[in-house]
Structures are given as C-alpha cells and as structure tokens.
Amino acid sequence: AEAQVAAAEAQVEEATARMAYAGIQAQRYEHLVEARTATAELLDAKRQERAVAGTSLASARANLDAVRHERTRVCFDRDALVKQRANLRLIAPVDGLVVSRQAEPGATVVAGQPVVEMVDPASLWVNVRFDQLSAAGLRADLPSQIVLRSEGGRKLAGRVLRVEPLADS
C-alpha cells in the first residue's frame, strides 16, 4: 500500500511538471503569434497540450486520493487481522509438556473446549490396569514403586492417588 502511494505521488509530480511545461509553451506561443513568428494553429496545439496536461494532473491527483484511501482501509484491515490473530494464539496457563492434541489444526473450537492435554514434567502420572485378582487390597495412598524400562530400569518412588473400578467391554 505504501509503494502504491509513493507511485501515485510520483505520477502527480510528473503530471505537475508536464502541466507547468505545457503552460510555459502555450504562453511562449501566444507571444510568438503576437509577434507574427508562429501560426495560430501552433498556438492552438500548445493550448490543447496544456489542457491534456491539466486533465492528466487531475487524473493523477484523483488516483492518489484513491490510493491513500485504500492504504487507510488496508492498514485498518491489517490492524484488525493482527488483533484477531492475537485471539487465536493458545497460551497455556502453566509450563508443561503437551502429551495429547485434542483438536486438529484448522478445526473450529469453542471457548473452554480442551485443545491439548499437558502434564507437568516434574511429576509423573501412570494409568495402570490390573485384573480383578491382582487388584485385591489396592487403595489410595498406598506407596508404590515405578520402574522405567526406557531409562535402564530406574526406580521412582510414588503413591497410589486413586482407584477407579473399570469393566472391560
């Protein structure tokens, strides 16, 4: 938009220069006709060139006004898009690691709808299923030990947070 304004301003400057030149030429030929060293036909041609230059100048000024108006509209639209983009940015309320994406990129979501599932990397949660016979006596707040095969059998101390009975299909 700024480049279009600069180009339109240059066109106005060029048309202004052509208008000034055509005006000087017309005056010169008026004096030459008075001195009888030029014909009235040449004077009419110079007057017509001045009129055409005036029309070109008016057209360039109108184009400049239109381009400036468009630039204002484009800048307003750009500002609106920047504000809208800021509303589209997801900002987590806490630091964490994204472990699950609940919505696909480009999908429409409503306020309050989960988009990603995050966990605190400083804590470890394990969802475990036991068969009914192995789960006897399992209850909340029991101590536990977590062995990480991915880290060479490293053992972590933990506790049972809750027990939720779940039936298989």
Side-chain angles (χ1 to χ4, degrees):
E2 292 295 330
Q4 288 177 338
V5 169
E9 287 172 344
Q11 288 174 349
V12 168
E13 288 179 25
E14 179 184 358
T16 301
R18 286 180 189 267
M19 177 67 181
Y21 179 75
I24 291 169
Q25 287 294 88
Q27 280 182 336
R28 180 176 295 135
Y29 275 82
E30 286 174 3
H31 293 306
L32 291 174
V33 167
E34 288 175 6
R36 296 179 189 242
T37 56
T39 65
E41 185 178 352
L42 285 175
L43 176 59
D44 289 341
K46 295 302 176 183
R47 286 178 176 164
Q48 193 226 355
E49 287 175 12
R50 182 176 57 193
V52 168
T55 303
S56 294
L57 177 58
S59 175
R61 286 180 177 157
N63 183 46
L64 176 60
D65 289 342
V67 169
R68 283 181 176 158
H69 177 73
E70 180 66 15
R71 177 189 60 185
T72 302
R73 187 191 65 75
V74 167
C75 289
F76 177 77
D77 288 349
R78 182 184 179 283
D79 291 344
L81 289 172
V82 167
K83 287 179 183 175
Q84 183 180 9
R85 184 171 187 224
N87 289 336
L88 298 175
R89 182 177 235 166
L90 294 176
I91 301 173
V94 294
D95 288 341
L97 178 68
V98 174
V99 294
S100 172
R101 183 172 61 195
Q102 308 287 328
E104 293 300 315
T108 302
V109 294
V110 296
Q113 178 180 345
V115 177
V116 294
E117 182 180 347
M118 296 178 60
V119 295
D120 179 1
S123 66
L124 176 65
W125 289 67
V126 180
N127 290 327
V128 181
R129 291 187 182 192
F130 297 103
D131 67 32
Q132 194 171 359
L133 295 174
S134 301
L138 193 59
R139 68 181 197 289
D141 291 325
L142 284 177
S144 65
Q145 191 176 61
I146 303 159
V147 179
L148 299 175
R149 290 183 305 193
S150 63
E151 292 190 16
R154 187 173 122 199
K155 297 179 181 179
L156 301 172
R159 68 180 177 85
V160 176
L161 181 67
R162 66 178 174 259
V163 176
E164 298 176 349
L166 180 67
D168 285 338
S169 55

